[in-house]
Amino acid sequence: MKFIKNMVRNVMNEAMDEALSRLIKDQYTENMAAMIPVGRKVGFPNFTEILMRSSQGTPIPRPLGSYIHFSPWESLLFSPVHLFRMPTPEQVRIETSVTIGPLARKPLTIAIPIMIAAMSFGGALSKSAKLALAKAATAAGTATNSGEAGLMREEREAAQLFIGQYNRGGWMNTPDKYKQLDAIEIQLGQGAQGSASQRTSVKNIGEDYREVFELKEGEPAIIHSRLPGVNTADDFIQLVRRLRHETGVPVGLKIAATHHLEKELQIALEAGVDFLTLDGAEGGTHGGAPTLQDDVGLPTLFAITRASHYLARKGATGKVSLIATGGLVTPGSMLKAMALGADAVYIGTAAILALIGEQLVKTAPFEAATSLVVYTGKMTSELDVDAGARSLLRYLNASVMEMEQVAQSLGRTSLSDISKSDLCTLDADVARTTGIQWGWTAADQQAEALSAIPFTMPHPDHIGAKDSSEQFDSSLH
Amino acid sequence: MLETNDMKQVLHYLHAEIVRIETISGTLASVEHEHYQKLTNFDQKELVDIAVEEQSAARQLGAVKQMCLNMSQQIDGMIRNMDRGAGDEIH
């Protein structure tokens, strides 16, 4: 044994010497070390995605959305109270329930402000993963979402509160299906895909998929860029009014957050929607083109802030519920979204990771953890549905408890009572654009201090690290 | 007129019962929350899982309380409308 160890050691020593010598002596252009600056220049994800595109020749389906942290959540901090307002006594329970669509004939009340985001059976997740999500949501007293799919009977039965997407594939768009829902979300876009069309090829469609989507054998599943039957704003308005009249449940609109936000919201309010779901540019997906994920949309933080201001201007605050989603992976960012005006949040990526939980060991080290839950995954049969539901329930409980702790420290008795006045920001631009107070200066000196600071334009990679950001004089001075 | 009075009485009854359910929900939520506190005193995973279920039940009772509040407000509105209607008739 010792002989073998010495032999391996000698071989490795020789190999390392050779490699180091070449690293030092070879021309830089012929040197493996050239990959280091190339990697730094291009970035590791871009580097691998260039190679994947060159191999596949078609848009590459990156899972779980953009890795870029567009929304500067970390520049916001909650402000605890001690004397001027007292913290909430620990005996007082923090109210966590939220009513979605309070003006609907049958509003939807959830026990916690976190819901499970739209992740479709087949297009994204396996049946067992969808059932685990539904079971966990039911145990937590919250809602889960169908995603762009047909109505899966088992999921409907497992979910006490089930939001279904009236979708661009048309698979949920008949009365026999949407009349079984607790809320209807008209899906016109999503953060990770914009309003682009999507196609699931026949090779990825199994028998159970065909059954739920009512597809013929050999027929692909196509999500159109437009909702079938909705070619004008007026078509949309008529659709919302019809669905509200027919069902009585909250009817909402989901879009990819966009700089055209207010124009889109104006039509939605005219239609009389009960809720708005805004999916920020950070939104995840089972697999989408990196360009749609990284270069399209508006970050969640900006979208929620603008939408909340817009609803206030239109007198719709408290009448039309606002749901934030996209890149909300910590309880802190979820609560900040609520403080900025969201009534509730959807989580996707975090829910999936929490669901996998301890079952991660089944895939390590040779398979990706997601192979347990995605429809086309190699290990979907290995997922223990009840264990997954328990893991997600624990995660939801822990997350809401952390939010409750913050509420207690802010002297609030309900998560819904937390507002922008409970926040400060370290970022002067965020202070100016959101109305949140700037943490660098006292409350009564905000305007003077902010007017002395020029606007900055950080690269998303450098949000929070202003040293490297480009600065320019503000035209607002 | 008699029918309206009957309806009003039914609404008053529903209102009273919903307020009672609201109170019971609040009390039970507190009990469930205490159970959570007690069960997390032990370092045993099964008990922690039960504690988490208790805490979730407490929050769902909080949601029931909220639903009761919404419903009692709606019934209040209906009773007020009926009173207004009756008043209009008298005048």
Side-chain angles (χ1 to χ4, degrees):
Chain A
M1 193 66 186
K2 194 173 179 184
F3 170 73
I4 295 170
K5 268 187 183 170
N6 280 336
M7 201 167 78
V8 170
R9 204 181 156 95
N10 286 336
V11 169
M12 282 187 66
N13 186 34
E14 283 295 315
M16 282 300 290
D17 289 354
E18 173 69 16
L20 280 172
S21 297
R22 288 191 59 184
L23 215 59
I24 296 160
K25 290 175 186 167
D26 279 6
Q27 284 286 322
Y28 209 168
T29 50
E30 298 166 10
N31 198 316
M32 273 302 287
M35 297 313 289
I36 297 169
V38 170
R40 292 282 307 264
K41 178 184 176 183
V42 178
F44 183 68
N46 293 334
F47 184 79
T48 52
E49 286 168 5
I50 286 169
L51 300 182
M52 285 180 187
R53 286 187 186 102
S54 73
S55 166
Q56 295 172 26
T58 53
I60 50 171
R62 184 205 286 155
L64 299 178
S66 182
Y67 56 87
I68 302 171
H69 292 176
F70 293 112
S71 295
W73 295 113
E74 71 280 9
S75 77
L76 302 180
L77 289 169
F78 287 106
S79 310
V81 296
H82 306 89
L83 284 172
F84 97 95
R85 186 171 73 223
M86 302 304 281
T88 308
E90 61 271 22
Q91 301 87 345
V92 175
R93 284 192 56 251
I94 305 293
E95 184 57 56
T96 60
S97 68
V98 175
T99 299
I100 306 291
L103 297 188
R105 293 205 304 278
K106 302 176 202 167
L108 176 70
T109 300
I110 48 179
I112 59 172
I114 307 173
M115 298 185 285
I116 307 302
M119 295 176 279
S120 69
F121 161 67
L125 299 179
S126 67
K127 186 177 277 189
S128 52
K130 286 296 282 176
L131 293 181
L133 291 173
K135 285 184 171 197
T138 298
T142 191
T144 189
N145 190 306
S146 67
E148 292 174 284
L151 185 76
M152 194 211 296
R153 185 180 48 80
E154 297 93 324
E155 185 182 21
R156 170 62 278 196
E157 285 169 2
Q160 190 185 65
L161 300 173
F162 190 50
I163 300 173
Q165 286 196 334
Y166 192 97
N167 58 66
R168 291 175 288 145
W171 304 300
M172 188 75 83
N173 304 2
T174 50
D176 59 312
K177 299 195 178 78
Y178 62 68
K179 282 188 176 175
Q180 296 186 48
L181 305 172
D182 298 301
I184 299 173
E185 187 174 71
I186 301 172
Q187 206 273 19
L188 297 186
Q190 64 183 100
Q193 307 266 11
S195 49
S197 61
Q198 296 160 56
R199 183 177 184 276
T200 304
S201 60
V202 175
K203 68 178 165 61
N204 290 328
I205 297 177
E207 183 60 43
D208 50 357
Y209 190 139
R210 271 203 301 278
E211 191 185 315
V212 171
F213 286 66
E214 296 179 356
L215 296 170
K216 297 186 193 81
E217 196 152 357
E219 183 185 357
I222 296 172
I223 293 169
H224 306 282
S225 56
R226 292 182 182 188
L227 188 68
V230 174
N231 292 304
T232 64
D234 196 51
D235 289 341
F236 174 76
I237 291 168
Q238 297 309 321
L239 173 66
V240 171
R241 291 177 182 171
R242 178 169 65 77
L243 290 174
R244 288 191 84 230
H245 176 73
E246 273 184 49
T247 65
V249 301
V251 174
L253 167 68
K254 178 182 179 179
I255 54 170
T258 159
H259 188 53
H260 301 301
L261 190 67
E262 290 77 6
K263 294 175 201 161
E264 307 278 19
L265 298 189
Q266 185 182 342
I267 297 165
L269 291 189
E270 196 183 332
V273 294
D274 296 296
F275 67 95
L276 292 159
T277 304
L278 297 180
D279 194 6
E282 304 94 323
T285 176
H286 69 288
T291 306
L292 286 174
Q293 295 179 10
D294 298 344
D295 303 283
V296 172
L298 187 73
T300 306
L301 191 153
F302 304 166
I304 289 302
T305 305
R306 283 172 53 171
S308 172
H309 288 174
Y310 186 77
L311 292 182
R313 282 205 303 277
K314 296 290 172 183
T317 305
K319 296 175 185 165
V320 176
S321 305
L322 186 58
I323 303 173
T325 185
L328 301 172
V329 292
T330 66
S333 59
M334 296 170 208
L335 194 58
K336 286 170 187 173
M338 290 179 68
L340 289 172
D343 294 284
V345 300
Y346 275 126
I347 56 166
T349 302
I352 288 297
L353 295 176
L355 185 152
I356 292 169
E358 292 167 2
Q359 297 187 66
L360 181 73
V361 292
K362 292 178 181 174
T363 60
F366 300 115
E367 297 294 341
T370 47
S371 66
L372 283 169
V373 293
V374 296
Y375 181 72
T376 50
K378 292 176 190 165
M379 299 183 68
T380 50
S381 59
E382 299 282 314
L383 184 77
D384 181 331
V385 172
D386 290 330
R390 271 198 304 276
S391 296
L392 179 51
L393 177 62
R394 281 188 219 117
Y395 169 80
L396 290 171
N397 186 59
S399 299
V400 177
M401 284 191 76
E402 288 183 34
M403 293 160 87
E404 289 168 344
Q405 287 172 336
V406 174
Q408 190 184 62
S409 183
L410 301 177
R412 302 294 185 195
T413 55
S414 167
L415 295 184
S416 299
D417 289 345
I418 296 173
S419 70
K420 280 194 292 193
S421 68
D422 293 303
L423 286 167
C424 73
T425 176
L426 310 180
D427 185 310
D429 296 344
V430 172
R432 268 186 288 244
T433 50
T434 61
I436 295 170
Q437 297 238 320
W438 192 38
W440 284 94
T441 193
D444 58 351
Q445 291 162 0
Q446 292 282 310
E448 191 187 338
L450 284 171
S451 66
I453 307 289
F455 255 94
T456 56
M457 190 169 65
H459 185 277
D461 285 349
H462 300 137
I463 283 170
K466 283 297 178 54
D467 297 348
S468 53
S469 62
E470 185 186 347
Q471 291 208 348
F472 64 98
D473 286 332
S474 167
S475 57
L476 298 178
H477 286 172
Chain B
M1 192 62 190
L2 190 66
E3 278 178 15
T4 309
N5 275 336
D6 283 350
M7 182 71 85
K8 250 176 81 176
Q9 280 182 11
V10 170
L11 289 176
H12 275 297
Y13 166 72
L14 289 176
H15 187 267
E17 291 295 63
I18 286 170
V19 170
R20 200 168 146 234
I21 294 169
E22 191 184 330
T23 310
I24 293 168
S25 306
T27 311
L28 288 177
S30 300
V31 173
E32 301 276 22
H33 183 64
E34 274 173 36
H35 288 172
Y36 170 83
Q37 305 278 26
K38 286 177 185 165
L39 286 164
T40 46
N41 284 334
F42 307 97
D43 189 20
Q44 199 178 335
K45 190 148 188 183
E46 287 78 7
L47 290 180
V48 171
D49 276 346
I50 295 170
V52 167
E53 285 173 8
E54 289 288 291
Q55 183 79 319
S56 293
R59 291 202 192 96
Q60 291 187 59
L61 285 163
V64 170
K65 209 174 141 195
Q66 181 64 42
M67 287 188 271
C68 288
L69 186 67
N70 295 344
M71 285 191 284
S72 66
Q73 281 170 351
Q74 287 204 13
I75 291 174
D76 256 347
M78 289 167 78
I79 292 171
R80 269 199 306 276
N81 283 342
M82 290 176 96
D83 285 343
R84 249 198 313 271
D88 289 346
E89 274 175 32
I90 291 164
H91 295 117

